[in-house]
Amino acid sequence: MRAAVVTDFGGPEAVQIVEREIPEPGAGQVRIKVAAAALNPADAITRSGVLPADPPMGFGWDAAGTIDATGADAGWAVGDAVVALEDNLVKQLGTHAEYVIVEGSAVAAAPTSVDAVHAATVPLNTLTAAQALDLLDLKPGQTLLVTGAAGAVGGYAVQLAAHQGIEVTALAGENDADFVRGLGAARFVARGDAPGRHDAVLDAALLGETALEWVRDGGAYAGVMPPLLPAPVREIRTAAVTVTADGARLKELVALVDAGVLTTRVAETYPLNDAPKAHARLAQGGIRGRLVLLP
């Protein structure tokens, strides 16, 4: 099978398409024939060599496709249309391949309201947003500031929080005001303006200490990049999301996609062989939605 890997860390040109043996599932695992797999900023981190691991390393966290083999007691059947999260930070092969092995507990039935390309954008970003909100533990009526609210994680965080009855203020670029209000934000603040203080901040833009200033005394802060977690001040609870695969939770989030509560966004698609071009586009920035690879 073909897979995208990096053998020498570097820029987008370091991404290689190689041939690998088709893997076999073990007990409790399934093999997914990948129809679509999202490209995320986490993949750029893998490519750059920041992680404490040696190459070769594979790319890809999200997968949408069809189960074509199962191990014992995996809980799924050949032919099931699914989405899944491969949550190992360091991996020899990820979902940017024609086939991927994941634990059966990391899998959920695919949404029925969107195609595989859009479904592939769901697992990593919705689970990150949902698990960040869990850490904040807000109640209906409390106030939440979401930084990077027009991005993939931030957008899902706005929608999930609004759905839970939380009063959301969205921090994003000036041109994104109508968009984030459409996601359910009660208030919009443009980057560079003062958003005031809130019961909690979900920092999808990785602003760190700057965002901590926008939390009330005794409030809560959740960041989406553990190494950038700021030191707590003013009795603020701080936590960083280390996203974990959770098929049961992913099933709930897929149901919200099918109910229209969560909106998938695809920016562009690329064939797997053009993975270096997709990485180059990701590096340019300014993307609304996710880039998706098609094995």
Side-chain angles (χ1 to χ4, degrees):
M1 69 172 190
R2 291 172 300 124
V5 303
V6 59
T7 58
D8 292 300
F9 296 125
E13 72 285 349
V15 180
Q16 298 182 35
I17 305 300
V18 298
E19 289 287 338
R20 292 287 188 264
E21 293 292 326
I22 297 176
E24 295 295 330
Q29 296 181 325
V30 301
R31 185 174 70 204
I32 298 173
K33 181 174 175 57
V34 180
L39 177 65
N40 290 280
D43 297 306
I45 292 173
T46 297
R47 188 195 71 233
S48 70
V50 171
L51 299 176
D54 296 323
M57 293 174 63
F59 299 104
W61 294 65
D62 305 280
T66 305
I67 292 175
D68 86 318
T70 68
D73 302 318
W76 296 91
V78 171
D80 287 343
V82 296
V83 290
L85 179 68
E86 209 299 345
D87 66 355
N88 290 308
L89 186 61
V90 177
K91 57 195 99 182
Q92 290 191 333
L93 290 174
T95 64
H96 295 176
E98 293 183 276
Y99 297 88
V100 67
I101 300 291
V102 296
E103 298 297 322
S105 59
V107 176
T112 59
S113 59
V114 298
D115 60 16
V117 172
H118 285 79
T121 68
V122 171
L124 177 61
N125 293 292
T126 62
L127 282 168
T128 299
Q131 291 172 9
L133 287 169
D134 290 346
L135 292 171
L136 294 173
D137 193 27
L138 294 173
K139 303 296 186 291
Q142 288 191 283
T143 59
L144 171 69
L145 174 69
V146 177
T147 72
V153 173
Y156 283 135
V158 171
Q159 289 185 308
L160 285 170
H163 183 65
Q164 295 171 16
I166 297 165
E167 184 178 324
V168 180
T169 296
L171 181 67
E174 289 184 3
N175 294 334
D176 293 314
D178 290 341
F179 173 72
V180 295
R181 287 193 179 101
L183 296 178
R187 294 180 60 237
F188 168 77
V189 178
R191 284 195 297 263
D193 292 343
R197 287 189 171 173
H198 304 262
D199 292 315
V201 168
L202 194 159
D203 188 14
L206 310 181
L207 300 180
E209 291 183 0
T210 298
L212 204 62
E213 290 298 316
W214 302 326
V215 183
R216 66 165 175 80
D217 293 356
Y221 168 98
V224 299
M225 187 66 72
L228 300 180
L229 183 65
V233 294
R234 297 185 284 109
E235 299 184 343
I236 294 171
R237 291 186 296 110
T238 63
V241 182
T242 303
V243 66
T244 56
D246 182 342
R249 190 65 178 280
L250 185 55
K251 179 181 178 180
E252 296 173 359
L253 294 165
V254 165
L256 293 178
V257 172
D258 284 336
V261 174
L262 297 178
T263 306
T264 60
R265 288 182 288 158
V266 173
E268 301 173 42
T269 62
Y270 293 81
L272 180 62
N273 285 349
D274 286 344
K277 293 181 180 179
H279 276 254
R281 177 66 188 91
L282 180 66
Q284 291 174 2
I287 300 170
R288 288 292 176 260
R290 281 285 173 250
L291 306 176
V292 178
L293 297 176
L294 307 177

